[in-house]
Amino acid sequence: MTSSPGTTPGPGAPDTSPATPGPSPATGAAGPGHGGPVDAADLPRLQRRISGVLIASQMLGGLGVPISIALAPVLATEISGTEAMSGFASTAAVIGTALVSLPLAALMTARGRRPGLVVAYAIGTLGAALVVLAASVKSFPLLMLGMAAFGAASSANLQARFAAADLAPADRRARSISVVVWASTVGAVLGPNLSAPASDSFAGTSIPQTAGPFVWAGAVFVLTGTLIAVFLRPDPLLTARALAGPDEQSRQGRSLRAGFTAVRASPRARLALLTVAVSHTTMVSIMVMTPVDLGHHGAGLKLVGLVISGHIAGMFAFSPVMGWLADRLGRLSVIGLAAGLLSLAALLAGTAGGDHAQSAAGLFLLGLGWSAGMVSGSALLTDSVPQPARAAVQGLSDLTMNTSAGVGGAAAGLVMSQAGYGWLNAIGAALLLPMAALALFTARRHPVRPAPAKGVSS
């Protein structure tokens, strides 16, 4: 039995050994969403094609959320008439992203990646339309409903990283994930800069200008969903199943319940789940309060924008490096790197005071640590559970990640107001201790045994 880099099967862990595809075409790969039989020899070319479609969809779909999400608090204030309600719009989007994770995983488990991603972008488009309607009729409850549905597009963006891993060999899985994460850089950087043009384009119309970006976002989601529907063929998840062994082609083990069971049975899956959730929660909790702290120390909007831009660069631009490290050094080593980077980021940011350069350095490292945790944790999660249960487990991961980050982001404001930014960073660093301890325990209990894999591994 072999394992992927950074993992070694241990007692109670599911058998995740790769099944070597035979030389003949995969008989189960034909049918709706596939486009015909796929031979194992075609996998490198097919993986490049699938990755290209996913990268393009991330570059396009990744624009939709940043275009509009920056103005969501402004829109909430306008509709409700009070700044006290401004944060609820973004919170509703986070809740929507979390809530759609499991239904989306169930759909992908049953029908494949392509239908799941298309449906998620369709729900996001509906959400954008509801937000525009809410702005027109001044309905705050309708705005909350629209923002929750809008969050489905974020869930699609997150799930795309797992789709990139479906056909990747185990020794390149983290790199495949990281390249799709890297593609999000385009939307993360360009999106906020398009908010003003998107608003201005509806000046003098019946649509409020603050809702204009949501019209643009809806159009972007339609284009992204169409791109995936037309070009994400054959479906990577269904093709991976067809190329796996006979046991993996069975419908048994594909339910959400089987996903929960797989996580309980695998110490590595639990570590991966904890890594993704803690890395994301620590990053969100510190990041959302950083502009407030910078403002307290005399920073203007331009400086705040530069600091946040550096943070976003740390999150996405270096993800291929993290993927390469996770494949070469092992998942557990990069999880340890994530804990170290996030801890150092909290130390620098929490003690910066009026030193804006130190704050910028801290936020850059915060993004870099998030990238290390997200890429290594996502790869380890995929490595650690049987192929049939992967989509369900990946949906559980996104549900856990977004729920914990939503709670962390909401609690960050309370901590900031009661104890200050320094204590917020200290608490963020404390959250990393269980993750680091579990990673160290796993590394000592089950030493890394690199095992190169060819083709699709289960």
Side-chain angles (χ1 to χ4, degrees):
M1 182 167 63
T2 58
S3 63
S4 59
T7 64
T8 306
D15 187 344
T16 57
S17 303
T20 304
S24 60
T27 57
H34 285 287
V38 175
D39 193 288
D42 295 331
L43 278 179
R45 175 188 58 80
L46 180 57
Q47 172 66 6
R48 288 193 297 270
R49 182 175 180 275
I50 293 296
S51 294
V53 174
L54 291 171
I55 289 169
S57 72
Q58 284 294 91
M59 288 181 173
L60 182 60
L63 281 171
V65 175
I67 283 176
S68 50
I69 204 69
L71 286 182
V74 178
L75 189 57
T77 300
E78 287 185 359
I79 293 176
S80 66
T82 172
E83 287 188 356
M85 307 296 286
S86 62
F88 281 83
S90 299
T91 301
V94 172
I95 292 173
T97 302
L99 290 179
V100 81
S101 297
L102 286 186
L104 182 60
L107 177 58
M108 289 183 177
T109 297
R111 302 293 299 275
R113 298 291 186 190
R114 187 169 58 88
L117 293 175
V118 170
V119 167
Y121 281 118
I123 296 173
T125 303
L126 174 62
L130 290 176
V131 170
V132 174
L133 178 61
S136 300
V137 301
K138 304 297 183 184
S139 170
F140 191 77
L142 188 59
L143 174 66
M144 294 296 99
L145 178 62
M147 289 301 301
F150 187 82
S154 294
S155 189
N157 291 341
L158 289 169
Q159 282 290 316
R161 77 190 191 275
F162 290 123
D166 286 332
L167 293 175
D171 59 345
R172 295 188 62 86
R173 189 171 285 149
R175 275 169 281 189
S176 297
I177 292 172
S178 69
V179 170
V180 173
V181 173
W182 168 85
S184 304
T185 308
V186 175
V189 173
L190 292 182
N193 294 311
L194 294 176
S195 295
S199 297
D200 295 341
S201 66
F202 289 92
T205 70
S206 59
I207 296 177
Q209 284 187 248
T210 46
F214 287 91
V215 179
W216 282 37
V220 166
F221 295 156
V222 168
L223 291 174
T224 307
T226 302
L227 173 69
I228 290 172
V230 173
F231 294 105
L232 196 65
R233 297 172 183 267
D235 189 285
L237 178 59
L238 301 186
T239 302
R241 284 179 185 164
L243 289 170
D247 292 341
E248 305 292 3
Q249 296 179 23
S250 170
R251 290 185 178 274
Q252 295 181 356
R254 295 184 188 175
S255 66
L256 291 177
R257 177 178 294 180
F260 283 98
T261 301
V263 171
R264 287 198 301 268
S266 171
R268 287 168 192 77
R270 294 196 295 272
L271 170 61
L273 211 64
L274 182 66
T275 297
V276 171
V278 169
S279 297
H280 194 58
T281 301
T282 301
M283 184 276 292
V284 169
S285 301
I286 294 174
M287 182 270 293
V288 295
M289 289 295 110
T290 297
V292 177
D293 181 69
L294 289 171
H296 289 167
H297 292 94
L301 290 178
K302 184 176 181 180
L303 179 57
V304 170
L306 289 173
V307 171
I308 298 301
S309 294
H311 169 68
I312 292 172
M315 288 177 65
F316 298 115
F318 296 90
S319 58
V321 176
M322 298 304 173
W324 181 83
L325 289 173
D327 282 336
R328 292 297 298 270
L329 303 180
R331 322 303 193 214
L332 302 183
S333 297
V334 179
I335 289 174
L337 175 63
L341 288 170
L342 290 168
S343 298
L344 181 57
L347 175 63
L348 289 175
T351 60
D355 189 337
H356 299 321
Q358 183 174 327
S359 294
L363 265 289
F364 173 77
L365 290 177
L366 186 71
L368 206 60
W370 175 90
S371 180
M374 182 64 62
V375 170
S376 60
S378 298
L380 180 60
L381 187 69
T382 304
D383 294 340
S384 303
V385 297
Q387 204 281 341
R390 280 181 185 167
V393 171
Q394 290 158 354
L396 175 63
S397 171
D398 283 352
L399 170 65
T400 305
M401 176 182 75
N402 286 291
T403 301
S404 58
V407 172
L414 296 175
V415 174
M416 180 81 171
S417 62
Q418 297 298 318
Y421 186 66
W423 276 105
L424 174 64
N425 279 269
I427 293 172
L431 292 176
L432 300 167
L433 293 176
M435 181 184 89
L438 185 56
L440 183 61
F441 173 80
T442 303
R444 288 185 173 180
R445 181 84 176 268
H446 309 292
V448 173
R449 288 192 294 115
K454 305 296 182 184
V456 178
S457 61
S458 59

